Amino acid sequence: MTRSKNFHRVLCLCLLFILIITGIIFQLHMIRSRSRWHPPPVSYLSSKTSSHEHQEEIQRLIKLIQWPEVPSGVDFMSSTSPNTTFYVLSHPQEVYLVGDRITVVLFARDHYGRPKTYGGDYFLAKLHSPQLKAGVTGSVIDHRNGSYSVTFLLLWPGDAEVHISLMHSSEAVSIISRKREKFYLNGHFTHNGNSATVECNVQPPGPDVCTYRDLQSGEEWFCNQPKEFPCSAYQEHLTSVNHPTLSATEQQFLQRSVTDQTISSTMRKITILPQTSGTDDRSVCRPGHRIPEPSGYYYQDVWQSRVCRNRRFTSPSDVTSCLKGKVVYLFGDSTLRQWWLYLEKFVPSLQKAAPNVSYALGSLLATDVEHGYLVQWRIHQKPLSMIRTSEPKLPYITNLLDNIGGADDGVVIVINCNAHFVSFPVKFYLQRIINIRNAVVRLLERSPQTKVIIKSGNTGFLYEIASDWLSFQLDTLMRAVFSGLPVILIDAWQMTSCHYLPKDLHPQEIIIKNMVDSMLSYICPE
């Protein structure tokens, strides 16, 4: 009897907690501010397109990521070598001024030291100064004849040095591209005391499949149907990712000794002098800004945006003052969960609402009752290479967006969709990201005050197949899909690729802080 009373007492407390949280959300949604800046209307970007227009858009977008083809039959020794490839500074000077540009010319060579005659190698380049904790990405142009131009904008006074990495040879890129659509995940079925684990994928993996179609978004997921199991027996999505097999020959091109390797050079550090005059002509941070190249740079470990006048939020009170009266939704993967974890750790008054909820899958909710705001993170739907999870816990971002009401100026939505999609067909990714884009359009049509922030992908894929080249392709498509909308882009790609710390898909806290500060700069531009 006592146990029953305790159970009912706990149940009542849980229900009361849910009612309190719901009330907070409702009150926050009712907050208005007459002095808010109104973003441009988006009604001209209709979310309703015909099937023909949709296919035309897909084809136009795919052309953006076309990559130079590699001659067939190239052996490993004839592939690009990081040890013989080199670069030189074009038109060197004794000193440079902030605002100048420099170009280095890179010459790809094979393992015999012979010049390459075709392009397609994937390089990442940065200009940096570890002493000044400064860094900026370089822009690489492939001349498709074995030579490349890499241009850097000089943005801080002091010394700087060029750093270029061969991420993948063109031959390795060709292998990765062919293997892209060979990945699949697993699904766990249980029925009448029996269980089975089968292949599941974004496309039908066999002749006898179960099709799981989300009625609201139209998104589909497929699993092979186990014999004598109904499709309704699909209970859990499993973390196991089944990778395509690589032959011994293919593995040579993707081994660690030739992947993400620094290109050597005799080029010395360059000296940059400050400008004699100059003013900060950046505007305050608002949606719809054009993204320059580069989009920003680090100096003294602080990201300096070239898009707008980003701010620093150095104390918890800076954050709480900015987020007061806001509802912040973070929809995406674990790289966005890092933002939620940073805020929960940095702001003592922001408390996790449900302490026992899994950090891996969420939904993670933190509330600050004292300052009247909340921050929520939710993982996106499959594909997911994470721990096993039951199906109902996985929401589609499209549905989450469509379920948000209109006319709210205290709502902030951050979206990211990249890392878990890199190994699956490009057309599938485009379908998903276009559906999200269309849901964003619908949201902004009914609620133009809502701030929508798109976080780009991180660099730092260190796996044999799931590489930064694949992530780069998806990131390029994502930027194109959201271009023209009054949304905000946080350029995590550049923020993770030019820092002095080693690249990591889940970067260290100083990089996360700069990302979160960038987000807050758009929420509270002044």
Side-chain angles (χ1 to χ4, degrees):
M1 189 70 177
T2 303
R3 182 178 299 175
S4 176
K5 288 182 178 179
N6 290 337
F7 172 79
H8 286 292
R9 186 179 293 112
V10 171
L11 180 61
C12 290
L13 288 173
C14 290
L15 290 173
L16 179 62
F17 176 79
I18 292 171
L19 288 172
I20 292 171
I21 294 300
T22 304
I24 293 172
I25 294 173
F26 177 78
Q27 291 298 321
L28 289 173
H29 275 215
M30 295 302 291
I31 293 172
R32 299 289 183 270
S33 175
R34 297 177 182 176
S35 62
R36 299 279 184 182
W37 172 77
H38 290 261
V42 296
S43 56
Y44 66 93
L45 285 167
S46 174
S47 61
K48 297 180 180 179
T49 58
S50 68
S51 176
H52 177 69
E53 290 172 328
H54 176 73
Q55 292 305 317
E56 281 190 339
E57 181 181 17
I58 294 287
Q59 294 306 316
R60 287 195 304 270
L61 289 166
I62 287 177
K63 289 180 180 179
L64 296 177
I65 59 172
Q66 288 181 341
W67 204 260
E69 293 185 5
V70 175
S72 60
V74 177
D75 62 20
F76 173 72
M77 293 302 293
S78 298
S79 67
T80 308
S81 168
N83 299 318
T84 58
T85 297
F86 68 98
Y87 58 88
V88 295
L89 177 62
S90 178
H91 304 102
Q93 300 173 203
E94 287 298 320
V95 293
Y96 298 86
L97 296 176
V98 170
D100 289 346
R101 290 183 185 269
I102 64 169
T103 299
V104 302
V105 182
L106 188 153
F107 300 94
R109 294 179 179 268
D110 66 16
H111 292 267
Y112 295 112
R114 301 174 304 191
K116 295 290 291 290
T117 58
Y118 52 90
D121 299 304
Y122 180 48
F123 295 97
L124 280 182
K126 66 181 178 182
L127 186 74
H128 70 136
S129 171
Q131 295 77 22
L132 297 173
K133 296 183 177 180
V136 65
T137 59
S139 179
V140 181
I141 297 175
D142 185 349
H143 299 296
R144 303 201 174 194
N145 60 2
S147 67
Y148 302 77
S149 296
V150 188
T151 303
F152 301 94
L153 180 61
L154 310 183
L155 290 164
W156 63 84
D159 290 341
E161 56 188 281
V162 171
H163 182 276
I164 301 176
S165 295
L166 174 64
M167 303 303 296
H168 290 297
S169 67
S170 55
E171 294 79 14
V173 167
S174 179
I175 294 170
I176 293 171
S177 180
R178 293 196 305 271
K179 300 291 183 178
R180 163 179 263 156
E181 301 185 9
K182 310 300 183 185
F183 285 69
Y184 63 91
L185 300 164
N186 286 330
H188 186 67
F189 285 66
T190 58
H191 181 64
N192 291 337
N194 298 316
S195 63
T197 299
V198 297
E199 176 183 346
C200 297
N201 214 326
V202 300
Q203 296 174 333
D208 299 319
V209 298
C210 295
T211 301
Y212 302 96
R213 190 175 193 272
D214 181 73
L215 296 179
Q216 185 174 345
S217 66
E219 297 276 2
E220 292 182 328
W221 181 253
F222 306 91
C223 292
N224 282 332
Q225 184 174 5
K227 290 183 179 180
E228 300 181 0
F229 280 73
C231 290
S232 59
Y234 182 28
Q235 298 295 319
E236 290 184 309
H237 171 72
L238 301 185
T239 184
S240 176
V241 180
N242 295 275
H243 299 272
T245 56
L246 294 173
S247 68
T249 299
E250 290 172 331
Q251 287 176 348
Q252 283 186 297
F253 295 93
L254 294 165
Q255 60 187 307
R256 176 53 52 195
S257 63
V258 292
T259 301
D260 191 12
Q261 295 298 306
T262 301
I263 303 301
S264 61
S265 175
T266 58
M267 181 179 166
R268 298 178 299 174
K269 293 181 180 179
I270 63 172
T271 302
I272 309 167
L273 300 180
Q275 288 180 325
T276 54
S277 62
T279 57
D280 187 354
D281 58 356
R282 298 174 300 166
S283 62
V284 297
C285 296
R286 290 175 174 169
H289 280 302
R290 183 185 65 84
I291 308 298
E293 180 58 40
S295 63
Y297 63 102
Y298 286 105
Y299 186 72
Q300 300 294 353
D301 244 351
V302 176
W303 181 255
Q304 307 289 339
S305 172
R306 297 184 64 236
V307 178
C308 60
R309 291 200 301 271
N310 61 314
R311 300 173 53 197
R312 296 188 67 188
F313 294 79
T314 56
S315 69
S317 62
D318 293 336
V319 176
T320 57
S321 176
C322 174
L323 292 183
K324 185 177 182 179
K326 302 293 192 302
V327 178
V328 181
Y329 296 116
L330 308 174
F331 299 148
D333 61 30
S334 57
T335 67
L336 197 52
R337 182 182 64 214
Q338 285 187 283
W339 294 21
W340 187 93
L341 293 170
Y342 168 80
L343 285 169
E344 184 207 21
K345 176 183 176 182
F346 185 67
V347 182
S349 55
L350 184 62
Q351 298 293 312
K352 186 179 180 182
N356 295 324
V357 172
S358 166
Y359 274 91
L361 292 168
S363 159
L364 298 180
L365 176 66
T367 62
D368 189 335
V369 177
E370 179 183 351
H371 300 97
Y373 70 92
L374 61 85
V375 183
Q376 184 185 50
W377 171 79
R378 298 202 71 177
I379 188 70
H380 62 66
Q381 249 286 5
K382 301 178 296 291
L384 283 172
S385 54
M386 297 176 67
I387 63 174
R388 63 193 301 164
T389 179
S390 60
E391 284 298 288
K393 294 182 179 179
L394 302 176
Y396 283 99
I397 293 177
T398 297
N399 295 348
L400 293 172
L401 294 172
D402 282 337
N403 293 339
I404 293 174
D408 296 313
D409 62 2
V411 176
V412 178
I413 298 167
V414 186
I415 300 168
N416 112 279
C417 201
N418 183 291
H420 293 271
F421 295 81
V422 296
S423 303
F424 294 91
V426 169
K427 287 186 178 181
F428 165 76
Y429 175 76
L430 278 173
Q431 180 67 55
R432 178 70 60 88
I433 204 70
I434 287 172
N435 283 349
I436 293 172
R437 189 271 313 275
N438 292 344
V440 167
V441 171
R442 292 191 293 269
L443 174 62
L444 293 177
E445 284 175 342
R446 65 181 181 269
S447 182
Q449 295 295 332
T450 299
K451 284 187 170 68
V452 178
I453 299 171
I454 309 299
K455 174 194 169 294
S456 74
N458 291 359
T459 59
F461 268 110
L462 303 176
Y463 308 109
E464 193 172 49
I465 295 293
S467 75
D468 275 348
W469 179 78
L470 292 168
S471 184
F472 170 70
Q473 287 207 313
L474 299 193
D475 197 65
T476 300
L477 293 173
M478 179 275 295
R479 293 170 191 254
V481 166
F482 283 98
S483 65
L485 281 178
V487 298
I488 297 151
L489 175 73
I490 303 298
D491 201 340
W493 187 266
Q494 293 198 14
M495 296 175 81
T496 54
S497 63
C498 69
H499 199 271
Y500 61 84
L501 288 170
K503 290 190 294 293
D504 190 337
L505 190 60
H506 296 98
Q508 295 185 32
E509 185 174 290
I510 184 60
I511 298 176
I512 299 300
K513 172 178 174 50
N514 279 288
M515 291 181 185
V516 172
D517 282 358
S518 295
M519 173 188 72
L520 295 172
S521 295
Y522 282 95
I523 299 173
C524 304
E526 296 178 298

